[in-house]
Amino acid sequence: MKHWMGRGLLLAALLALLTIPAWAYAIPTDYSELSLEDAVAEFMEANGLDESNYSVSYCNTVTGETYAFNDAAFMTAGSTYKLPLNMYYYEMEREGLIAPDAYISRAGTTLDQAHYQSLVHSDNDVSIGMLYNLGEFRDYKNLMRKYFTMEDDEIDYIYYVDNYYCTRMMMDALTYLYEYRADFEEMIGYMKQAQPGEYFKAGVTDYEVAHKYGFFEGAVSDVGIIYAPQPFLLAVYTQDVEISVVSQTAALFTAYNVWQNLPEEEDNQSVELEVQQVPKEELPPAEAETPQPEPLQEAAPEPENEPAPQETSSFEWWMVAVALGVFLLGGGLVKLFVSPARLGKKYGIADEAEETETTGTK
């Protein structure tokens, strides 16, 4: 029993590993030492992508930078065919060839409602009715070539007989849509409403996305405008891979776009270079930078227990003695004994011993 339980746990662990989604791949955010080509190559390797199952086209609308992998490969387009189809009808309206409220019998609704149902809800019945309202399937495919730059010899025969497109065609259509976006405001607005949180919008959550997605028998695709700091156009076709590959492709190119728009820290770099260029020997000495004050004793030295000056005291006692002798010899007119201490006080002179005791060290 334990033997079979152990095998069951091991099998469950293996199945868990096999079902890890492709979006576990970490999208790089620093491209200072990583080119876009290398980043896409790493992404493809991590998700098992190659020319048989993956196609992508990218264009930065600000810088004009483009990137493409396998962009001329014709793959199942799913509902992305509705992008050029609706563009064609909007231009017919602008040229006065059809009214917005014209009823399209094959679609079962008016044209303005057909646009909404086709772009926001990706209604297949309505969209197919719009398609065949233009004529036969091959007629419709020839009309769509208005938006593409590919020559006759570049277009595979399957394009004319089935719902096959390539990301180069979709990039051409997106370029036209963005260039004349003022004429397609309603259409772009519907594309912004469509399928929130899925396809491109699952990988790009910080910026607005206008897209037309597609899903048919293992073919997952999305094409649209991503309004990053530098708005860019993106078209992705896949076949039989994880559905998250489409959303993560959008996340990869968004991360690259955001990194390109980051401000350069030129000020910090220049300061660092200036500091490094100053030779060490040219730096000012420490004394000049932080002068130290001289000690107070050196500025105004005073000897300890310095005795009071004697010259003034001796001179004054000599004068007092002479005056006293003259006074006494003058006839004893006044018999008065005057002590040296009292005389000292009278003239502001203190006894040397008293002065020393009283004043101490000056």
Side-chain angles (χ1 to χ4, degrees), residues 266-285:
E266 294 179 355
D267 293 339
N268 293 339
Q269 295 176 359
S270 61
V271 169
E272 182 178 357
L273 289 175
E274 290 176 1
V275 172
Q276 292 176 352
Q277 290 174 357
V278 175
K280 188 174 182 180
E281 57 270 15
E282 293 183 10
L283 293 175

Side-chain angles (χ1 to χ4, degrees), residues 37-326:
E37 291 76 8
D38 290 339
V40 175
E42 291 178 3
F43 174 75
M44 291 176 58
E45 183 179 1
N47 291 280
L49 305 176
D50 54 34
E51 293 182 352
S52 68
N53 57 17
Y54 187 65
S55 175
V56 60
S57 295
Y58 161 84
C59 178
N60 185 315
T61 64
V62 177
T63 66
E65 180 185 12
T66 61
Y67 172 85
F69 171 79
N70 201 30
D71 63 328
F74 285 88
M75 303 175 67
T76 301
S79 290
T80 61
Y81 79 88
K82 299 168 187 175
L83 175 76
L85 176 64
N86 278 272
M87 289 172 60
Y88 192 84
Y89 270 98
Y90 272 108
E91 292 207 295
M92 289 177 64
E93 293 176 50
R94 190 173 66 254
E95 295 170 5
L97 299 177
I98 188 171
D101 59 351
Y103 186 80
I104 302 176
S105 57
R106 288 179 176 265
T109 186
T110 58
L111 180 56
D112 52 1
Q113 283 298 311
H115 281 310
Y116 178 81
Q117 294 297 330
S118 177
L119 292 169
V120 177
H121 300 294
S122 199
D123 190 298
N124 290 322
D125 293 336
V126 169
S127 300
I128 292 174
M130 295 171 69
L131 185 157
Y132 282 104
N133 186 61
L134 298 174
E136 298 298 323
F137 189 81
R138 192 178 183 95
D139 297 329
Y140 142 74
K141 278 298 187 89
N142 278 318
L143 291 173
M144 296 303 101
R145 286 192 60 183
K146 170 184 179 179
Y147 303 109
F148 311 144
T149 60
M150 297 179 71
E151 301 294 336
D152 291 342
D153 59 352
E154 296 178 294
I155 300 178
D156 196 300
Y157 175 74
I158 198 172
Y159 167 78
Y160 296 102
V161 298
D162 206 342
N163 185 27
Y164 277 71
Y165 283 87
C166 63
T167 59
R168 185 187 300 182
M169 287 178 165
M170 288 297 157
M171 181 54 61
D172 287 340
L174 289 170
T175 301
Y176 190 97
L177 176 69
Y178 190 80
E179 182 178 357
Y180 299 101
R181 55 192 176 277
D183 297 331
F184 296 101
E185 287 186 3
E186 182 180 84
M187 178 175 177
I188 294 175
Y190 288 156
M191 293 169 66
K192 290 179 179 179
Q193 295 180 42
Q195 203 68 20
E198 299 293 338
Y199 301 90
F200 284 173
K201 292 182 178 180
V204 181
T205 57
D206 294 333
Y207 305 102
E208 201 167 28
V209 176
H211 68 150
K212 185 69 212 78
Y213 54 90
F215 180 87
F216 182 75
E217 296 182 352
V220 183
S221 53
D222 204 356
V223 298
I225 307 167
I226 297 178
Y227 294 88
Q230 296 178 345
F232 65 91
L233 314 175
L234 188 65
V236 180
Y237 280 179
T238 69
Q239 182 67 53
D240 300 324
V241 300
E242 289 284 348
I243 189 172
S244 58
V245 167
V246 171
S247 60
Q248 287 300 285
T249 299
L252 172 65
F253 281 92
T254 301
Y256 174 73
N257 182 282
V258 170
W259 175 84
Q260 285 185 308
N261 204 52
L262 291 177
E264 296 182 2
E265 299 178 355
E266 294 179 355
D267 293 339
N268 293 339
Q269 295 176 359
S270 61
V271 169
E272 182 178 357
L273 289 175
E274 290 176 1
V275 172
Q276 292 176 352
Q277 290 174 357
V278 175
K280 188 174 182 180
E281 57 270 15
E282 293 183 10
L283 293 175
E287 293 78 2
E289 292 182 356
T290 54
Q292 299 294 328
E294 296 180 359
L296 294 177
Q297 291 184 352
E298 295 181 7
E302 291 186 10
E304 297 182 2
N305 300 322
E306 181 180 2
Q310 299 295 323
E311 292 79 7
T312 302
S313 178
S314 299
F315 172 76
E316 290 179 352
W317 278 113
W318 174 79
M319 292 182 65
V320 172
V322 172
L324 181 60
V326 172

